Amino acid sequence: MPESKKKQKCYITTPIYFPSGMPHLGTSYSTIVADVFARYKRLQGCDVMFTTGTDEHGQKIELNAAKSGKTPKAYVDEIVKDFKKLWKTLGISYDKYIRTTDNNHVITVQKIFKKLFDKGEIYKGKYKGWYCTPCESFFTDAQLVDGKCPDCGREVNFTEEEAYFFKLSKYQDRLLKYYETHPHFIEPESRKNEMIQFIKSGLNDLCVSRTSFKWGIPVDFDKGHIVYVWLDALTNYITSQGYLSDNDEDFKKYWPADVHFVGKEILRFHVIIWPAILMALDLPIPKQVFGHGWILFGDGQKMSKSRGNLVDPVMLCDRYGADALRYFLIREFSLNDDGLFTNEALIKRINFDLANDLGNLLSRTVAMVNKYFGGVIPSEQRPGNLDNELIGFAINLKKDYEIKMNNFRFASALSDVWLLISKCNKYIDEMMPWKLGKDPSCYDRLAAVLYNLCEVLRIISILISPVMPETSLKIQEQIGADAKICSFDMADNWGMLPENVKVSNLGALFPRIDVEKEIKELEKILDSTNAKKSEKDNSAENIDTDKINLVGIEDFAKIKLKVAKVISCEPVKKSKKLLKLFLNDGVAERTVVSGISQYYTPEDMIGKNIILVSNLKSAKLCGVESHGMILAATCPDGAPKVIFVDDVPPGSDIH
Ligand code: MSP
């Protein structure tokens, strides 16, 4: 391995998770994706720093803790134990686990806040929202239930609170310039335009302190203020490395991060707020931020407790092993897009790809070496037809694999490895070793065939190791390959297994599954662990337009109209008419579904300011929860025309 490669550093991060509940399969996805990349980089010989952790402050945690009768710290301590246990079960090879309640994080965030304040990057202003006095809490429009406090149901008042703001707006041009000069900063490319549009439509300064709750990092020079959300959370990527501390060697060595893996809904914070904070601190910007898609469940929803679609990763690991689950998530879904989780897809992947294709190849090969040669492949070997084709394919695989892995095309890299596996199975069918075994004059040919299969299995074991670390070692053990010949630079070398290599049968890699029976079993388990969904589906057709009558001003006043910005937009999969819009109403974000897709493309909508009916009861349209409605006029030809108000800032009320 070249010396320069050995020393190349690589800093990889996952998002830090809210410990507001148990981690589930959805939250495991970000971590598994990052772990695969970290293992791949180590395999390449890089000096890897891989971090994950928990985002432990904020009102939600404070409330959850109070509900369970614990202090916030005791509450998060419990959940963090579960996170760490799950990461162990899933084989997550993190180097550091950062908690935002760690003392060094708290102290450094205070230093960062002060530094930004002293530099004039943070200033004091006013935060506006609905305040519930008995609960001492601020709520956004979207959080109110029938215009009342969502917690106690009492009246709320529109109030202002003193708060500090970060001058995000001044970084607009610098951010756009940065994207231009660093074309690979935002990955995948398909999400870049959305970010550019968002910036171009104008950035507001960012609220970075609150006084209405206590569970957070205190601003040490202004009592009563707590550092608010993103400044506390995003900075984990540098506090974990010792930034502004006496022990900052890792920071000097590893910063800037090579890649932050995040879910698509928090990409914006990582490519707009985070680089702006770093620019304000005069620090280098991370090289790449990858915003992956979501794993959707059942009717196309993101996993959540309230939707009753939680899939427990521990249960799946208990049944099939962590490697099988990791393989499924990486092979089945492209990182760039959303993917639908189904029990059937999971079981089939395990059965066909793992038990049949890979498992069978190994067990057949080992069984034949045992049967014909007592477990040791003889050194007298005769090359023959088709060997070169198989060998050529195997040793050339690494090149493409590396390109794909470097470009985050993990599923495609795995798919190529499975092509090699199927070529091996075909090679066995064509070579018919059981026939060669009947004729002693063909033993040297049989020995060559079995040696070739073991060599390919060695290469396969190397290439699958980032995704299936345990399986990789099991294969190496069975074919008698030691670690020295299983490093990455051995993956394009042929003939590394020694003469007279000894194999051992250590049992099947993956048990075969009765697909139908297992799917039923899984459904039973998931149903019994999830509360039944209570919400009734409201379809668009249920809206009764005939009952519209004249209304008094008091009724009209109940409708809250405000201006919101379209941050992202996509068609609703199961519908020809609906678009799903992700809006920012100046205070919070929400999803709204609108029947305009025959007249507007997502690109027509992104970055535009529209009028939102913000206190409409949520409804489900084609399986997507819609929180509000956007206003459109119906033209004489029947076509809807969305009312755009691009000169009015998001958050403005319409009376
Ligand atoms: N605490 C913030 C992140 C701060 S990072 C400086 C947060 N936490 S989270 O717990 O809500 O989500 C963490 C990650 O889990 C996000 O990247 C999110 O996209 C991911 N996922 C949660 N559910 C998911 C799916 N169903 N599918 C894929 N990823 C999902 O946001």
Side-chain angles (χ1 to χ4, degrees), residues 15-18 24 26-27 29-30 55 230 233-234 236-237 262-266 270 292-295 297 302-303:
I16 50 169
Y17 299 91
F18 290 128
H24 53 70
T27 43
Y29 183 65
S30 291
D55 187 357
W230 288 105
L234 290 163
N236 91 83
Y237 302 128
V262 299
K264 64 175 184 180
E265 84 285 15
I266 56 170
H270 283 78
H292 64 71
W294 287 339
I295 308 294
F297 298 86
K302 203 169 160 226
M303 189 177 274

Side-chain angles (χ1 to χ4, degrees), residues 77-294:
D77 281 351
E78 282 287 306
I79 298 180
V80 167
K81 266 193 228 151
D82 291 330
F83 269 91
K84 288 189 171 170
K85 207 163 127 204
L86 174 61
W87 298 154
K88 193 159 179 226
T89 307
L90 286 171
I92 305 301
S93 59
Y94 60 83
D95 297 297
K96 283 189 188 174
Y97 189 100
I98 162 106
R99 300 182 58 178
T100 53
T101 50
D102 288 341
N103 208 26
N104 69 314
H105 177 79
V106 171
I107 291 170
T108 311
V109 168
Q110 288 176 329
K111 286 185 191 165
I112 290 172
F113 200 100
K114 181 77 175 41
K115 191 169 173 160
L116 291 174
F117 181 73
D118 289 344
K119 288 183 83 184
E121 300 284 350
I122 281 179
Y123 64 92
K124 212 173 193 176
K126 288 218 158 71
Y127 181 87
K128 295 171 186 166
W130 296 99
Y131 193 67
C132 173
T133 314
C135 296
E136 290 182 48
S137 299
F138 266 97
F139 296 102
T140 62
D141 268 355
Q143 288 170 321
L144 299 184
V145 176
D146 295 333
K148 305 245 168 68
C149 171
D151 289 342
C152 68
R154 280 177 272 209
E155 292 294 330
V156 286
N157 303 311
F158 194 78
T159 320
E160 296 182 343
E161 172 186 308
E162 211 178 50
Y164 285 92
F165 288 84
F166 169 63
K167 287 185 182 164
L168 182 62
S169 55
K170 85 176 216 200
Y171 287 96
Q172 204 157 309
D173 293 341
R174 266 182 82 181
L175 286 167
L176 290 172
K177 186 101 212 129
Y178 189 80
Y179 295 175
E180 230 176 271
T181 50
H182 297 80
H184 296 294
F185 173 58
I186 301 173
E187 290 284 346
E189 172 82 26
S190 55
R191 300 200 195 281
K192 195 194 285 184
N193 199 29
E194 200 178 311
M195 302 298 134
I196 294 175
Q197 290 312 322
F198 186 83
I199 296 181
K200 282 193 174 159
S201 57
L203 293 178
N204 295 325
D205 287 349
L206 177 78
C207 175
V208 287
S209 88
R210 299 292 296 272
T211 53
S212 54
F213 62 92
K214 311 233 157 353
W215 180 237
I217 299 177
V219 175
D220 52 359
F221 60 88
D222 195 346
K223 224 172 146 238
H225 282 266
I226 297 293
V227 179
Y228 188 48
V229 189
W230 288 105
L231 197 70
D232 177 1
L234 290 163
T235 46
N236 91 83
Y237 302 128
I238 50 177
T239 63
S240 68
Q241 304 307 310
Y243 173 62
L244 293 185
S245 80
D246 293 340
N247 189 3
D248 64 354
E249 263 157 51
D250 282 346
F251 178 73
K252 285 183 183 140
K253 181 168 173 193
Y254 292 110
W255 192 258
D258 290 78
V259 50
H260 293 310
F261 285 101
V262 299
K264 64 175 184 180
E265 84 285 15
I266 56 170
L267 179 67
R268 197 155 51 80
F269 305 103
H270 283 78
V271 299
I272 297 177
I273 298 176
W274 183 220
I277 292 174
L278 290 165
M279 285 170 185
L281 289 168
D282 301 313
L283 289 177
I285 310 300
K287 292 184 194 151
Q288 284 187 303
V289 182
F290 195 102
H292 64 71
W294 287 339

Side-chain angles (χ1 to χ4, degrees), residues 177-448:
K177 186 101 212 129
Y178 189 80
Y179 295 175
E180 230 176 271
T181 50
H182 297 80
H184 296 294
F185 173 58
I186 301 173
E187 290 284 346
E189 172 82 26
S190 55
R191 300 200 195 281
K192 195 194 285 184
N193 199 29
E194 200 178 311
M195 302 298 134
I196 294 175
Q197 290 312 322
F198 186 83
I199 296 181
K200 282 193 174 159
S201 57
L203 293 178
N204 295 325
D205 287 349
L206 177 78
C207 175
V208 287
S209 88
R210 299 292 296 272
T211 53
S212 54
F213 62 92
K214 311 233 157 353
W215 180 237
I217 299 177
V219 175
D220 52 359
F221 60 88
D222 195 346
K223 224 172 146 238
H225 282 266
I226 297 293
V227 179
Y228 188 48
V229 189
W230 288 105
L231 197 70
D232 177 1
L234 290 163
T235 46
N236 91 83
Y237 302 128
I238 50 177
T239 63
S240 68
Q241 304 307 310
Y243 173 62
L244 293 185
S245 80
D246 293 340
N247 189 3
D248 64 354
E249 263 157 51
D250 282 346
F251 178 73
K252 285 183 183 140
K253 181 168 173 193
Y254 292 110
W255 192 258
D258 290 78
V259 50
H260 293 310
F261 285 101
V262 299
K264 64 175 184 180
E265 84 285 15
I266 56 170
L267 179 67
R268 197 155 51 80
F269 305 103
H270 283 78
V271 299
I272 297 177
I273 298 176
W274 183 220
I277 292 174
L278 290 165
M279 285 170 185
L281 289 168
D282 301 313
L283 289 177
I285 310 300
K287 292 184 194 151
Q288 284 187 303
V289 182
F290 195 102
H292 64 71
W294 287 339
I295 308 294
L296 304 175
F297 298 86
D299 50 1
Q301 299 285 336
K302 203 169 160 226
M303 189 177 274
S304 82
K305 214 192 278 175
S306 56
R307 293 192 185 111
N309 62 2
L310 288 185
V311 177
D312 176 10
V314 178
M315 178 274 290
L316 295 179
C317 287
D318 284 349
R319 288 182 90 75
Y320 318 112
D323 276 12
L325 181 58
R326 291 168 62 107
Y327 172 78
F328 168 70
L329 290 174
I330 298 298
R331 174 74 196 270
E332 185 75 12
F333 307 112
S334 145
L335 251 60
N336 296 11
D337 307 309
D338 290 351
L340 192 67
F341 174 94
T342 64
N343 295 328
E344 191 180 350
L346 170 71
I347 306 302
K348 284 192 168 162
R349 281 274 177 214
I350 296 175
N351 222 21
F352 299 135
D353 297 10
L354 300 182
N356 274 7
D357 297 346
L358 176 61
N360 241 350
L361 172 63
L362 178 72
S363 61
R364 280 164 99 186
T365 306
V366 169
M368 288 189 285
V369 178
N370 279 329
K371 179 171 172 192
Y372 299 117
F373 300 120
V376 180
I377 304 178
S379 45
E380 297 92 73
Q381 296 174 12
R382 176 160 48 97
N385 269 349
L386 299 180
D387 289 4
N388 283 345
E389 195 191 317
L390 181 70
I391 295 170
F393 191 87
I395 57 176
N396 279 321
L397 199 57
K398 183 183 155 192
K399 240 188 341 240
D400 279 351
Y401 172 92
E402 224 174 345
I403 294 171
K404 289 182 174 172
M405 292 298 283
N406 288 344
N407 288 299
F408 310 108
R409 293 169 57 206
F410 302 167
S412 179
L414 273 187
S415 156
D416 288 353
V417 178
W418 256 256
L419 199 59
L420 175 59
I421 293 172
S422 77
K423 279 194 189 294
C424 286
N425 282 323
K426 198 164 150 247
Y427 177 75
I428 296 179
D429 293 343
E430 282 165 349
M431 293 294 110
M432 292 188 281
W434 48 91
K435 252 189 171 169
L436 299 174
K438 283 188 186 137
D439 178 356
S441 73
C442 293
Y443 275 16
D444 53 353
R445 178 70 194 124
L446 178 60

Side-chain angles (χ1 to χ4, degrees), residues 445-485:
R445 178 70 194 124
L446 178 60
V449 168
L450 294 178
Y451 182 87
N452 289 342
L453 290 170
C454 285
E455 263 296 280
V456 179
L457 276 161
R458 179 185 63 80
I459 291 175
I460 290 169
S461 79
I462 299 170
L463 300 183
I464 63 168
S465 66
V467 181
M468 295 197 284
E470 277 181 28
T471 307
S472 161
L473 290 177
K474 280 185 192 162
I475 295 174
Q476 290 164 12
E477 211 181 335
Q478 297 211 25
I479 59 170
D482 66 29
K484 277 204 293 294
I485 59 167

